[in-house]
Structure formats: structure tokens, C-alpha cells
Amino acid sequence: TDSFFILLEYKKLGKKLKNYKLTYFDKVFLRRIIAALLDALICFFLASIVWIMANIIGFFTFGIIKKAIPFILPVILTTYYVYSLGSTTGITFGMSYMKIDFLNNKNQNLEVKELLIYNILFFLVIPIGALFLISIIFPLSNNQRRCLQDYIFKTKFILTD
């Protein structure tokens, strides 16, 4: 009988979700998630190439280079974000593909100094937030779907299409 009531509740929730219209901020948030996944795939691809090259070189150097892989992989991640966010557009490939832009509280693109500070803050907030599920719950609990680092740094994302 419990499964029957769960099924009824699920059907009620399904009807509510069918009638739910995505807001502008929901669309921005969903695109941010997809952009982050695309950026993660790019970083994974770059890391795979480096790992393969390190193993090939490691074979010829009797494994010396392979010991450096744990130190090289974070450099790849940081370099990708520094070069993409530090470019003239100030957005990553995933953000560009998903047509979202990143602005400060004055509705301007962030300067290189601001992007550097934002990146440092991002890499500090996300692991801690993921550990306590704050990174997942916080954007869902506010109407503008802003993440914790957006509130701290007073930034926002907009759609460019």
C-alpha cells in the first residue's frame, strides 16, 4: 500500500511539473550546469592527452615522468580556466557554446583581476560547498538561481541569445 501512495504523490508532482514554466533564471541556471559539464569534458580530454603522453614519455624515462602526473593535472584545470576566463571575452568555451555571459554588479564584463579573484573563490567554494551540499541546494533556494560565489563576488549570468 505504501508504493500505491508513493505512486499517487509522484503523479501529482508530475502534473505540477508539467504546469511549471521555466523562468529566465531557471534557463540561465540550466545553461550554467551544461556549460560546466562541457568545460569538465574539455578538461578531461586535455588531461587524458597529457596522461597518455606522460605514460609514453614515462616508458622511455623509466617512470620518472609518471610520478609528476598528480601535479600536472591540477595545472591543466587551472590553466584552462585562467586562459578562457582571462581572455578578452571573459567566458569559457562551455559558456560561449551555451550563450551565457558573466557580468559584475555594474553590468560589465569582469576585468582580469576580478576574474582571477573569482576563480580563486570558485575553487575554494565549490569543493567545500559540494562536501556540505551547499553548492547544490543554495541556487535552488533563491529566485535568481545564483550560486554562493555569485553572492559573495556580486556577479550574475545572463543569456546572450
Side-chain angles (χ1 to χ4, degrees), residues 90-104:
I91 56 176
T92 65
F93 174 76
M95 292 165 61
S96 174
Y97 185 76
M98 294 309 299
K99 296 185 173 132
I100 55 177
D101 201 1
F102 185 46
L103 304 174
N104 62 13

Side-chain angles (χ1 to χ4, degrees), residues 18-31:
K18 281 183 185 176
N19 295 331
Y20 181 76
K21 286 194 164 199
L22 289 176
T23 66
Y24 175 80
F25 298 112
D26 290 333
K27 291 175 186 174
V28 171
F29 184 63
L30 289 173
R31 286 191 187 187

Side-chain angles (χ1 to χ4, degrees), residues 71-89:
F71 302 103
I72 294 172
L73 295 180
V75 171
I76 293 170
L77 181 67
T78 307
T79 304
Y80 173 75
Y81 279 98
V82 166
Y83 276 110
S84 59
L85 287 176
S87 68
T88 54
T89 57

Side-chain angles (χ1 to χ4, degrees), residues 33 49 52 105 120:
I33 292 171
I49 290 172
I52 290 168
N105 58 353
I120 292 168

